[in-house]
Amino acid sequence: MFNSPSVIVGLEIGTSKICAVVGEVNESDELNITGIGQCRSRGVRKGEIVDSGRAEEDIRVAIAEAEQMADVEIRSVYLGVTGSHIASLVNRGVHPVVSADREISNDDVEDAIKNAKAVRLPADNEILHATRHHFMVDGQEGIVDPVGMLGSRVEIDMHVIHGNINRLQNPIRSVKNLQLEVDSVVFNGLAAALSVLTPEQRRMGALVIDIGGGVTNYIVYGGGAIKHAGVLAVGGDHLTNDLAYGLKVPLKRAEQLKVDYGAALVTDSIRGQTVTTVAELGLPSKTINLEHLQHIMSLRVEEMFQLIEQEIAAAGLLNYLSAGVVLCGGASRVPRIQEAAERVFQLPVTLGRANSISGIKSALDQPEFATAIGLVRFGSFQEKRKPRATSLGSVIKETFFSFRRSMV
Ligand SMILES: Nc1ncnc2c1ncn2[C@@H]1O[C@H](COP(=O)(O)OP(=O)(O)OP(=O)(O)O)[C@@H](O)[C@H]1O
Ligand SMILES: [Mg+2]
């Protein structure tokens, strides 16, 4: 069974935490966050489930907490997915206009779209999201509706986010094992963008980078449509690993040092400063040079941004980011990460906040909840698109696909 149409639930099965967010759409079509549940995640690595038993226990806790706070019974979720197998491509559909008068007909447009949809994916891959861009007629870009125009060639680009079908199925199975339905599967990077970008920023062109614990999702919007998306199998936990290795401290201590003293660039005022950790659980105390600590972090952060910058540059999109770069995810809390990103991208960088959404302020202000909140927003768009059901059967038919080809 599915939630009532006004109740929308987003579920992110993250590497650091499982997060369920409940939203309700009121009569004025406004989205209000009414509940949030979270649980430390124990069965996920690099954004994908590696221990389904533990992951399911943790999902159950997060869902129960969200149900209690929102005072609803959750029956279905918009499920966020990520992982290094997720990638994107653009497929161009080309159609020659053959009529004698060269007037573009409805059929010409349909054929161009059909060709764009004939995407060749790597073996075992499935489409998660397919987005149509504007049309081109004889090389003229940005055409909204070519029907009735004159031309000899109609073209359209289809942007596709895809992933390995088996790896996408794993989180779906875990959710279904808990007697919950999946309304739709959504790429986490897309959800994050829907949460932190305004429609104006999506039109102007922006890059959203969601830096989590195990992965970093990124997505480029331009002209209101998705232009590029991808996943780096590196996140905030790699900063912790680097510190543990570089400072020769256990992981738990490295995590604490990262949060207490970390920065994405070396801060002048800490040069020469040290901190001495207390001896505990058989571990001797240790004196840490803070410049060394921040230097280790700055190298990894710079490398992460450089990898994304190279990818965006290779896709020819760096000059289209008029609204700059927006960071979210738990690791966007690292001090001076904004400046570090500005140095690499040579663009203005801001820290993302969930916008145009009301409700529990403590959730809306946390960068690590941006993805789960964005899943709710995605759901609200989907619910709006659904034809008002005339029968229960049609509702089920409409929503039961695991991989709905959504046009966002
Ligand atoms: N104040 C902070 N300073 C530095 N890092 C932080 C801070 N708060 C959280 N983090 C880091 O953010 C990461 C967790 O982010 P988030 O909750 O967005 O991850 P997730 O969504 O569970 O994981 P993923 O999306 O990668 O599967 C961890 O690496 C954590 O150490
Ligand atoms: Mg995340």
Side-chain angles (χ1 to χ4, degrees):
M1 260 223 277
F2 294 84
N3 302 328
S4 80
S6 62
V7 174
I8 298 158
V9 181
L11 175 67
E12 184 193 2
I13 307 173
T15 311
S16 302
K17 48 111 186 53
I18 313 268
C19 180
V21 171
V22 183
E24 290 194 41
V25 181
N26 66 19
E27 300 87 47
S28 329
D29 257 358
E30 284 156 353
L31 185 58
N32 187 32
I33 301 302
T34 55
I36 181 153
Q38 62 168 328
C39 178
R40 231 180 80 100
S41 178
R42 298 167 304 161
V44 179
R45 240 190 118 240
K46 293 182 189 278
E48 296 181 75
I49 293 175
V50 291
D51 181 339
S52 51
R54 284 191 156 169
E56 284 164 30
E57 278 175 29
D58 298 340
I59 297 168
R60 197 191 300 277
V61 172
I63 291 280
E65 198 178 297
E67 279 182 324
Q68 203 179 13
M69 191 187 285
D71 194 20
V72 293
E73 190 187 339
I74 296 173
R75 295 175 176 151
S76 61
V77 296
Y78 282 86
L79 175 62
V81 287
T82 186
S84 57
H85 60 102
I86 293 178
S88 83
L89 56 81
V90 175
N91 193 49
R92 180 159 294 183
V94 183
H95 175 75
V97 181
V98 290
S99 62
D101 62 0
R102 293 289 154 106
E103 185 174 324
I104 298 166
S105 69
N106 234 334
D107 286 350
D108 292 325
V109 170
E110 288 302 318
D111 281 345
I113 294 172
K114 206 164 81 193
N115 293 341
K117 278 184 176 167
V119 182
R120 258 209 225 144
L121 293 180
D124 290 334
N125 269 40
E126 174 67 51
I127 293 177
L128 267 171
H129 306 284
T131 316
R132 250 194 260 156
H133 292 172
H134 284 155
F135 291 92
M136 280 164 286
V137 174
D138 292 356
Q140 184 189 350
E141 293 185 2
I143 293 169
V144 179
D145 183 6
V147 175
M149 287 176 66
L150 297 186
S152 52
R153 204 174 70 237
V154 184
E155 294 171 88
I156 185 161
D157 285 342
M158 182 73 73
H159 182 270
V160 167
I161 301 179
H162 58 94
N164 178 279
I165 188 157
N166 299 319
R167 288 165 75 173
L168 289 170
Q169 278 294 339
N170 291 329
I172 296 173
R173 282 166 71 110
S174 286
V175 167
K176 292 197 166 186
N177 284 344
L178 297 169
Q179 272 65 56
L180 290 168
E181 293 295 345
V182 175
D183 292 295
S184 203
V185 180
V186 186
F187 169 50
N188 281 345
L190 165 52
L194 291 182
S195 171
V196 300
L197 292 185
T198 61
E200 179 60 12
Q201 286 173 310
R202 298 207 289 269
R203 257 192 308 278
M204 286 170 66
L207 163 66
V208 174
I209 308 178
D210 166 21
I211 318 167
V215 291
T216 296
N217 306 299
Y218 55 92
I219 190 161
V220 176
Y221 263 90
I226 302 168
K227 296 283 183 191
H228 193 71
V231 179
L232 270 190
V234 181
D237 294 351
H238 295 78
L239 297 172
T240 310
N241 290 343
D242 289 353
L243 290 180
Y245 183 80
L247 304 175
K248 299 189 178 48
V249 294
L251 275 176
K252 213 169 153 210
R253 197 167 268 182
E255 175 72 20
Q256 200 56 50
L257 286 166
K258 176 179 81 170
V259 172
D260 291 346
Y261 304 102
L265 293 171
V266 178
T267 309
D268 280 337
S269 59
I270 60 98
R271 287 188 206 276
Q273 280 187 32
T274 57
V275 58
T276 303
T277 61
V278 286
E280 58 173 335
L281 299 172
L283 293 169
S285 75
K286 197 168 165 96
T287 300
I288 308 284
N289 177 319
L290 292 184
E291 184 179 344
H292 186 203
L293 180 152
Q294 294 187 349
H295 181 64
I296 293 171
M297 288 179 69
S298 69
L299 293 179
R300 175 65 86 163
V301 170
E302 185 184 25
E303 186 195 29
M304 283 164 63
F305 287 142
Q306 277 172 346
L307 288 170
I308 298 172
E309 195 260 359
Q310 284 158 12
E311 174 92 16
I312 307 300
L317 293 168
L318 223 39
N319 293 333
Y320 288 86
L321 306 175
S322 310
V325 181
V326 182
L327 305 179
C328 62
S332 70
R333 288 179 180 274
V334 172
R336 302 191 67 195
I337 199 160
Q338 222 174 315
E339 273 172 83
E342 271 163 2
R343 285 190 186 183
V344 174
F345 290 100
Q346 298 289 309
L347 287 166
V349 178
T350 49
L351 295 180
R353 290 195 62 249
N355 61 66
S356 317
I357 300 170
S358 61
I360 306 161
K361 199 167 157 357
S362 59
L364 300 173
D365 282 345
Q366 315 294 320
E368 55 270 40
F369 293 153
T371 300
I373 291 170
L375 292 168
V376 178
R377 159 135 295 165
F378 180 96
S380 73
F381 290 158
Q382 291 289 94
E383 296 294 330
K384 248 187 247 173
R385 273 202 201 105
K386 268 184 209 166
R388 281 289 144 242
T390 48
S391 70
L392 186 61
S394 64
V395 176
I396 290 173
K397 203 167 160 218
E398 171 73 12
T399 52
F400 203 69
F401 296 110
S402 297
F403 301 108
R404 291 242 345 246
R405 283 153 205 246
S406 47
M407 305 292 240
V408 174

